[in-house]
């Protein structure tokens, strides 16, 4: 009898909720009819995603037919393997973050405008065909997949948040030029990055912005015969971990100009400690190099012909390869010297103006290339409008409804609408649970009051959760991680398209363990006291709490916050990046302490009203 009553109560609750949503939608339609400007849309990439044809996993055998028929296809969370995929010009394939498994993908020669987003390849590959140029494609958030291009032509493509090896071999024919590799992370494998060109059709202009080679089992890189190559931010740990490799971590031969900035890490626990680098280039620039090889016998090598500009660094000096040395060594602010402020040329301290400086001047100035285009910022959706605090009063509570979806379905996939909650939602950090909506302009979770976190994370060791396509508004905190709900170490978290609005703290890491190798894709903070707050324990011994390592904020906007980013680390943070981000009308943009290699790239700052 008791179970019958409980069942009846649940059915009554769902019925009331459905009726309330219907009434809400009717009122919304009336409001739109009387005021067309009330319509709030999503951001453009969200619009493209939700306009794509939804292919259920039950129809996975038809995936190629769907792509060829509709041009743009999105997948559910599930296993779509079993059918290889071929992509051509302007075709798009979207998945659910790290939960949509697919088979091998081929991008046909001559293609342009192909989009692959949020796909789990599970040791499969994305193959670029040889032939006509493949250009202006966007490959984003690929987990455990290998990029393969053999004698292909790749120009002006963008690879964002790629989790797997990249193997581009144009040593016989073809070329790759002006491609952007923004956030490349892989580990545990051999030869994570291969890039080989040829002298007949040279390769150049490729930029690696944020790279993390984590515990490669053997060799790490094999880069050969490029006119130039640029790395901004490269962290590598325990290369040659299994002792199966024979090459230094960064192996670059027959190169033109090589530029590397913010190079860190170390291999203290590798089975075999191979050198950090062996570089044969015309010109080598290294800025902010602090990486340890931990083996005096594993010495880095630079070719005799190479002109070296080495500013700001320590650890692991280099020796010249065999032969007559024709290149120069210009060093400044090298910490292993007695005087950190010394400038040396070929080992001699320079106390007067350098005579015959032409070769040095040419190497410093180099070639002027075309800068990256400036970001085109969209106006962030504001679905609740300016009177949201007044309008939330008396609204029914949807907290039990959402929590039941999380507990029952793992992923609470919310429809369009505003869901008011009176207390925190508990979200397990186990890779399986999450909350998704229908877009930052279409789905809102709003606090009925501002004295609780909207989402509190529970448990989680080296794990993550799903969060995408919604606005979190009100409450005291948007997402709250702390040891209140178990020791938490969050790793490989990929969340996208979430707007945090009107909170004391948007994303709060309080005294938890760590936050490691995460990707924030179009995550924005508006009208927050602090947008992203890393709050470690203070005064502890060997305190590792709440460290933030190798986390990238991509295409995020930080608007009208007292402090956009607060990361005052007690255990040093390493290689965090803000790429294509907008900082506007904040009191303080960055409060950083104990951060190694923080990178802000291609970002805009305007109307700041506090300290610099």
């Amino acid at each position: 009898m008791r179970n019958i009553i409980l069942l009846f109560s649940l059915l009554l609750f769902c019925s009331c909720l459905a009726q309330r949503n219907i009434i809400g939608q009717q009122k919304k339609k009336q409001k739109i009819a009387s005021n067309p400007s009330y319509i709030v849309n999503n951001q453009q990439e969200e619009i493209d995603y939700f306009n794509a044809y939804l292919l259920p996993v039950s129809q996975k055998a038809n995936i190629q037919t769907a792509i060829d028929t509709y041009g743009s296809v999105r997948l559910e969370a599930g296993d779509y393997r079993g059918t290889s995929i071929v992509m051509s010009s302007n075709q798009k394939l979207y998945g659910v973050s790290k939960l949509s498994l697919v088979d091998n993908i081929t991008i046909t020669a001559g293609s342009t405008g192909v989009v692959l987003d949020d796909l789990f390849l599970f040791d499969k590959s994305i193959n670029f065909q040889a032939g006509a140029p493949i250009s202006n494609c966007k490959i984003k958030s690929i987990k455990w997949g290998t990029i393969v291009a053999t004698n292909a032509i790749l120009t002006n493509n963008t690879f964002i948040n790629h989790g797997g090896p990249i193997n581009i071999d144009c040593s016989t024919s073809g070329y790759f030029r002006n491609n952007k590799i923004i956030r490349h992370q892989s580990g545990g494998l051999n030869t994570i990055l291969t890039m080989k060109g040829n002298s007949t059709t040279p390769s150049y202009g490729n930029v690696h912005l944020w790279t993390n080679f984590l515990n490669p089992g053997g060799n790490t890189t094999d880069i050969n015969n490029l006119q130039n190559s640029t790395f901004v931010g490269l962290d590598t740990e325990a290369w040659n971990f299994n002792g199966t490799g024979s090459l230094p971590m960064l192996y670059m031969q027959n190169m033109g100009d090589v530029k590397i900035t913010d190079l860190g890490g170390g291999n203290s626990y590798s089975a075999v400690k191979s050198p950090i680098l062996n570089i044969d280039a015309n010109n080598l620039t290294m800025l902010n190099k602090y990486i340890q090889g931990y083996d005096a016998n594993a010495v880095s090598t630079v070719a005799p012909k190479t002109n070296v500009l080495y500013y700001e660094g320590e650890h692991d000096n280099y020796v010249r390869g065999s032969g007559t040395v024709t290149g120069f060594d210009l060093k400044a602010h090298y910490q292993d010297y007695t005087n950190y402020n010394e400038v040396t040329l070929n080992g001699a301290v320079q106390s007067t103006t350098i005579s015959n400086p032409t070769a040095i001047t040419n190497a410093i100035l180099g070639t002027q290339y075309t800068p990256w285009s400036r970001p085109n910022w969209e106006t962030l959706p504001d679905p609740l409008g300016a009177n949201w605090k007044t309008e939330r009063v008396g609204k029914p509570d949807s907290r039990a409804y959402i929590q039941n979806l999380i507990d029952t379905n793992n992923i609470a996939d919310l429809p369009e609408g505003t869901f008011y909650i009176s207390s925190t939602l508990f979200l397990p950090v186990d890779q399986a649970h999450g909350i998704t909506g229908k877009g930052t302009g279409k789905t809102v979770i709003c606090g009925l009051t501002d004295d609780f976190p909207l989402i509190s994370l529970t448990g989680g060791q080296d794990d993550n959760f799903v969060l995408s396509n919604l606005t979190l508004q009100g409450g005291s905190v948007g997402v709250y991680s702390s040891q209140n709900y178990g020791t938490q170490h969050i790793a490989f978290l990929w969340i996208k398209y979430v707007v945090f609005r009107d909170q004391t703290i948007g994303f709060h890491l309080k005294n938890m363990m760590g936050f490691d190798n995460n990707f924030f894709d179009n995550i924005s903070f508006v009208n927050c006291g602090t947008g992203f707050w890393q709050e470690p324990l203070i005064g502890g011994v060997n305190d590792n709490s709440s460290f933030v390592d190798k986390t990238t904020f991509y295409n995020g906007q930080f608007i009208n916050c007292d402090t956009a980013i607060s990361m005052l680390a007690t255990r040093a943070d390493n290689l965090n990046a803000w790429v294509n981000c907008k900082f506007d009308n904040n009191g303080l943009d960055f409060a950083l302490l104990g951060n190694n290699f923080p990178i802000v790239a291609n970002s805009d700052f305007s109307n700041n009203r506090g300290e610099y």
Side-chain angles (χ1 to χ4, degrees):
M1 184 65 181
R2 183 171 179 269
N3 289 338
I4 293 174
I5 293 172
L6 288 173
L7 178 60
F8 176 77
S9 299
L10 180 60
L11 291 172
L12 181 62
F13 169 79
C14 293
S15 175
C16 292
L17 182 65
Q19 183 67 23
R20 186 169 67 240
N21 284 338
I22 291 171
I23 295 172
Q25 291 297 324
Q26 290 174 343
K27 289 182 177 179
K28 184 176 180 180
K29 289 177 181 177
Q30 292 171 358
K31 194 169 185 178
I32 291 172
S34 61
N35 181 15
S37 64
Y38 176 79
I39 298 174
V40 178
N41 218 331
N42 290 327
Q43 298 176 66
Q44 186 57 55
E45 191 169 292
E46 295 181 291
I47 294 171
D48 294 342
Y49 171 75
F50 287 110
N51 283 343
Y53 174 78
L54 177 62
L55 181 73
V57 70
S58 60
Q59 299 178 25
K60 66 179 185 178
N62 300 324
I63 189 169
Q64 186 64 56
T65 301
I67 292 170
D68 293 339
T69 301
Y70 299 101
S72 184
V73 172
R74 61 186 172 101
L75 308 178
E76 299 175 329
D79 190 346
Y80 287 80
R81 290 175 297 179
T83 302
S84 296
I85 299 168
V86 177
M87 304 289 293
S88 299
S89 288
N90 301 315
Q91 292 183 337
K92 302 175 182 179
L93 182 62
Y94 302 97
V96 177
S97 182
K98 295 186 292 184
L99 296 175
S100 298
L101 281 77
V102 296
D103 218 310
N104 292 314
I105 300 173
T106 297
I107 298 179
T108 58
S111 293
T112 184
V114 171
V115 174
L116 301 174
D117 194 351
D118 263 329
L119 301 172
F120 187 1
L121 266 72
F122 201 75
D123 297 334
K124 300 294 185 178
S125 61
I126 299 172
N127 297 276
F128 290 79
Q129 276 188 348
I134 298 174
S135 63
N136 297 302
C137 298
K138 182 168 70 175
I139 315 299
K140 185 170 74 169
S141 294
I142 303 299
K143 181 183 180 184
W144 293 3
T146 302
I147 299 293
V148 178
T150 303
N151 300 324
I153 300 176
L154 275 62
T155 64
N156 297 295
N157 300 291
T158 305
F159 302 87
I160 308 164
N161 189 34
H162 183 72
I166 296 177
N167 185 347
I168 301 176
D169 187 349
C170 295
S171 54
T172 302
S173 63
Y175 53 83
F176 48 104
R177 299 172 182 170
N178 303 320
N179 300 287
K180 301 175 184 177
I181 301 96
I182 301 173
R183 195 177 195 277
H184 175 205
Q185 194 282 328
S186 186
L189 303 170
N190 293 329
T191 315
I192 295 171
L193 178 63
T194 300
M195 286 193 156
K196 296 181 179 181
N198 65 79
S199 300
T200 304
T201 53
S203 297
Y204 52 77
N206 304 290
V207 176
H208 305 255
L209 175 55
W210 193 104
T211 305
N212 178 24
F213 300 135
L214 183 62
N215 299 1
N219 295 332
T220 307
T221 61
D222 188 1
I223 303 171
N224 194 298
N225 202 7
L226 310 182
Q227 277 194 358
N228 54 59
S229 185
T230 300
F231 285 83
V232 180
L234 195 165
D235 184 279
T236 179
E237 296 179 24
W239 62 91
N240 205 9
F241 182 75
N242 298 325
T244 59
S246 60
L247 301 177
M249 183 278 295
L250 200 56
Y251 186 68
M252 308 178 80
Q253 302 294 296
N254 306 309
M255 302 291 286
D257 295 332
V258 174
K259 296 184 178 182
I260 305 169
T261 180
D262 294 272
L263 173 58
N267 70 339
S268 61
Y269 51 96
S270 294
V272 175
K273 295 175 177 59
S274 58
I276 293 172
L277 57 86
N278 182 330
I279 296 179
D280 176 351
N282 294 334
N283 297 292
L284 169 62
T285 301
M286 293 187 292
L287 171 64
N288 206 28
K289 172 183 172 292
Y290 291 88
I291 184 171
Q292 291 183 284
Y294 294 98
D295 191 333
N297 297 316
V299 181
S300 291
T301 305
V302 173
K305 70 175 184 181
T306 302
N307 297 319
V308 179
L309 305 167
Y310 188 178
Y311 315 124
E312 181 72 29
E314 67 174 340
H315 307 309
D316 186 64
N317 210 338
Y318 54 88
V319 299
R320 292 285 183 168
S322 59
T324 302
V325 176
T326 57
F328 62 75
D329 295 274
L330 181 68
K331 298 181 181 179
H333 303 293
Y334 188 76
Q335 290 201 1
D336 287 1
Y337 289 148
T338 302
N339 185 352
Y340 173 70
N341 292 316
E342 287 179 343
V343 175
T344 67
L345 178 61
N346 301 327
V349 176
Q350 302 301 295
S351 56
T352 60
T353 301
I354 296 173
S355 60
N356 300 319
T358 302
I360 295 174
T361 301
N362 290 341
I364 291 173
L365 293 178
T367 302
Q368 178 66 56
Y369 296 103
T370 302
W372 285 10
S373 60
R374 307 303 305 142
N376 182 21
W377 295 111
E378 296 182 68
T379 300
L380 294 174
D382 185 9
L384 299 190
N387 298 323
W388 69 276
K389 277 194 173 184
T390 302
E391 293 180 354
R392 70 179 172 175
V393 175
K395 290 294 193 298
D397 186 1
S398 297
R399 191 265 172 198
Y401 165 70
I402 300 175
Q403 190 66 55
N404 181 64
L405 290 177
I406 295 170
D407 297 341
T408 303
N409 301 336
N410 291 346
I411 304 292
D413 187 16
L414 300 178
E416 293 185 18
T418 302
F419 299 86
Y420 294 94
I421 61 174
S422 62
S423 60
T424 195
L425 295 164
F426 292 107
L427 187 61
V429 179
D430 61 0
Q431 199 169 151
H433 287 80
I435 304 174
T436 62
K438 295 299 178 284
T440 50
K442 300 294 185 180
T443 302
V444 184
I445 297 177
C446 181
L448 283 166
T449 58
D450 297 328
D451 54 359
F452 65 92
L454 298 184
I455 299 172
S456 294
L457 305 177
T458 63
Q461 188 62 31
D462 295 319
D463 229 324
N464 49 71
F465 56 92
V466 175
L467 190 67
S468 68
N469 302 111
L470 48 78
T471 288
L472 298 174
Q473 190 154 1
S476 59
V477 181
V479 173
Y480 180 62
S481 173
S482 79
Q483 292 193 23
N484 294 352
Y485 304 109
T487 301
Q488 294 177 2
H489 182 250
I490 298 172
F492 300 99
L493 170 69
W494 297 359
I495 61 176
K496 66 178 184 179
Y497 281 97
V498 180
V499 176
F500 294 80
R501 280 188 176 274
D502 300 289
Q503 287 133 9
T504 303
I505 307 165
F507 203 107
H508 190 186
L509 306 176
K510 182 179 180 181
N511 306 161
M512 40 84 79
M513 183 59 187
F515 198 72
D516 201 357
N517 277 289
N518 304 301
F519 182 60
F520 279 30
D521 180 3
N522 284 272
I523 305 300
S524 298
F525 301 85
V526 182
N527 302 333
C528 293
T530 300
F532 182 91
W533 187 17
Q534 169 192 359
E535 183 186 4
L537 291 165
I538 301 297
V541 178
N542 297 323
D543 175 30
N544 286 333
S545 73
S546 300
F547 66 85
V548 179
D549 271 4
K550 306 175 192 70
T551 291
T552 302
F553 296 78
Y554 176 75
N555 267 16
Q557 299 191 47
F558 300 80
I559 300 173
N560 197 33
C561 298
D562 294 333
T563 301
I565 301 289
S566 178
M567 296 171 61
L568 306 178
T570 52
R571 195 231 72 173
D573 296 343
N574 294 286
L575 195 65
N576 297 304
W578 292 262
V579 181
N580 288 10
C581 287
K582 177 181 180 180
F583 297 86
D584 182 54
N585 197 36
N586 300 306
L588 182 65
D589 290 320
F590 286 92
L592 302 183
L593 179 69
N595 276 247
N596 298 323
F597 315 112
I599 297 169
V600 183
N602 211 38
S603 296
D604 290 347
F605 296 82
S606 57
N607 304 312
N608 294 289
R609 49 186 165 78
E611 298 182 60
Y612 58 85

